[in-house]
Amino acid sequence: MAKRSSWDKNPTKAFDAFIVSLDFAETAKRLPADGQFKTISKQSVEIYTYMFRNFCNWLAEQGKAFSEVDRADLKRFIDRADEHGRVINSKIAYRYLRLLDRCYQHLELDPNPAREAILATGQAEFLRDDPTRALSEDQLRRFFDALPSAPARVRQLTPFDGWKRRRDRAMQVVIALAGLRVAEAIGLLLAEVGQQTDIEGGIDITITPSEKHQTSHEHVTTLPREGAVELQAWLRERAAMGIPGDFVFPANTEGRKMIKKTVYMQVRATFERAGIDLSRAGGRTLRNTFAQRKLAEGATPDQLKDTLGLALERSAADYQFARVKPDPDE
């Protein structure tokens, strides 16, 4: 009872101690291969802490203590919706319930309300939403190796033969290494590309809503050195060609805006050359991979929200659960 009392009095404090302990590790579904439970990584601690605080904020609004929660309360929590749609998609809802299941297991609460909510919801409901897909490190390397490049010609028809392939190459690099949406890439303006490199050779890209999707939020993301080299080479060629207009990646020599379908087809072709599953071949998978790598490097959901230009911190935290799909022959 003393344990429950501490969780009811200050659940976040109790959780902070629990999440870094072996007690939490021992609530895992499976025994590790070596038979030894270990405390979880710092990155996982940050994500789980964010999720638990999100739940506690909602719990405070309901005026309920942590140990008083029942199955119906948890169903209301995961089924919430606002003007943006469902607050928690079905895949993430399961993650929340599983995390709470481990907390109530630790408290020896019987019946366990989170476990009851999981059983009442059923696997079909949790599998309703498509999982967020990301690339493994090997798949990402192969993607870069498969990027388009203009083939050498014995006889060039014009000084800029193959320029669209070099444009496509630079665009895909920017999407992958700066985490841009496709709409942000095709709407990227020359004035939004930084002129000065940072100490590591990267350049800032300032995304504004102008020429982008209407839901784009102004934000700044850094394109690392390897991406900056590709983009700057393309910008030099673009300038030498004398292409008018403000788009970094124009559709033609008249400077018109590209369409999403063209970018989708080009990215899909790169995935195919790289031997990566085509069912999730698109700019979104590249953005997911960028986000997951940032979290792995230590970015918090709030920092990632700003980097990606997201309106909601919860959307950034969800990238933690992106899953890599094995190659077709694996």
Side-chain angles (χ1 to χ4, degrees):
M1 292 300 294
K3 187 186 294 184
R4 294 184 191 178
S5 176
S6 66
W7 279 72
D8 287 343
K9 183 178 180 180
N10 194 334
T12 57
K13 181 179 179 181
F15 180 84
D16 287 348
F18 174 53
I19 194 66
V20 297
S21 69
L22 281 175
D23 288 340
F24 180 79
E26 290 170 357
T27 61
K29 282 186 174 181
R30 299 179 181 86
L31 184 70
D34 62 2
Q36 299 295 317
F37 286 107
K38 301 177 182 65
T39 56
I40 61 175
S41 68
K42 179 181 178 182
Q43 177 194 356
S44 295
V45 168
E46 290 175 351
I47 296 297
Y48 286 141
T49 298
Y50 164 81
M51 293 171 64
F52 190 79
R53 277 165 169 66
N54 189 27
F55 174 71
C56 285
N57 289 339
W58 178 84
L59 199 61
E61 293 173 0
Q62 309 305 304
K64 275 205 164 188
F66 187 73
S67 67
E68 295 174 348
V69 169
D70 59 25
R71 182 182 70 184
D73 293 324
L74 295 180
K75 282 289 290 177
R76 285 192 297 113
F77 172 71
I78 64 173
D79 289 340
R80 290 170 300 146
D82 59 19
E83 67 273 16
H84 299 284
R86 186 170 177 174
V87 172
I88 305 173
N89 73 35
S90 60
K91 284 284 183 180
I92 307 305
Y94 177 79
R95 301 283 179 177
Y96 269 98
L97 291 180
R98 178 61 188 129
L99 175 62
L100 295 172
D101 175 14
R102 297 174 76 170
C103 294
Y104 289 120
Q105 180 182 336
H106 174 63
L107 290 180
E108 300 177 347
L109 205 63
D110 188 20
N112 182 321
R115 194 164 302 169
E116 287 190 321
I118 291 172
L119 293 174
T121 303
Q123 289 300 310
E125 174 68 12
F126 289 130
L127 294 173
R128 187 182 63 187
D129 294 327
D130 287 338
T132 301
R133 294 296 185 190
L135 301 181
S136 68
E137 287 297 323
D138 176 65
Q139 289 171 337
L140 185 62
R141 177 190 57 76
R142 283 160 37 209
F143 176 85
F144 287 133
D145 288 344
L147 285 168
S149 59
R153 290 188 177 181
V154 175
R155 178 183 177 186
Q156 284 193 322
L157 301 179
T158 73
F160 302 107
D161 276 358
W163 72 269
K164 286 188 176 181
R165 291 176 63 82
R166 291 186 290 276
R167 173 205 64 190
D168 295 340
R169 177 186 180 89
M171 174 183 276
Q172 291 179 45
V173 167
V174 170
I175 291 172
L177 294 182
L180 269 58
R181 297 183 175 95
V182 169
E184 292 170 344
I186 64 177
L188 186 63
L189 304 175
L190 293 171
E192 296 175 334
V193 178
Q195 299 301 306
Q196 299 294 324
T197 58
D198 61 24
I199 192 171
E200 296 179 346
I203 54 176
D204 284 345
I205 296 178
T206 303
I207 300 297
T208 68
S210 179
E211 299 291 350
K212 317 294 191 301
H213 194 278
Q214 62 181 5
T215 59
S216 292
H217 296 269
E218 183 167 347
H219 65 283
V220 178
T221 182
T222 300
L223 182 66
R225 181 186 58 78
E226 55 269 36
V229 169
E230 295 276 359
L231 178 57
Q232 289 167 333
W234 159 244
L235 289 176
R236 287 192 295 270
E237 179 171 3
R238 185 195 185 287
M241 291 176 67
I243 298 178
D246 298 321
F247 293 117
V248 170
F249 305 110
N252 51 35
T253 53
E254 285 74 47
R256 293 179 183 170
K257 187 176 183 180
M258 292 182 72
I259 61 174
K260 286 184 178 181
K261 183 178 179 180
T262 300
V263 179
Y264 171 78
M265 292 174 61
Q266 296 301 334
V267 173
R268 184 178 178 85
T270 304
F271 271 75
E272 186 170 15
R273 288 192 297 272
I276 300 171
D277 177 67
L278 295 180
S279 65
R280 305 294 287 184
R284 180 173 296 181
T285 298
L286 297 177
R287 180 173 163 89
N288 296 345
T289 304
F290 169 87
Q292 192 176 64
R293 292 179 80 198
K294 285 294 181 184
L295 289 171
E297 290 168 2
T300 65
D302 185 57
Q303 291 169 335
L304 183 61
K305 173 181 73 69
D306 293 339
T307 299
L308 294 176
L310 299 172
L312 304 170
E313 185 177 339
R314 71 177 189 234
S315 300
D318 290 351
Y319 283 108
Q320 165 70 15
F321 305 113
R323 288 292 176 263
V324 173
K325 187 168 185 177
D327 295 322
D329 58 348
E330 289 186 6

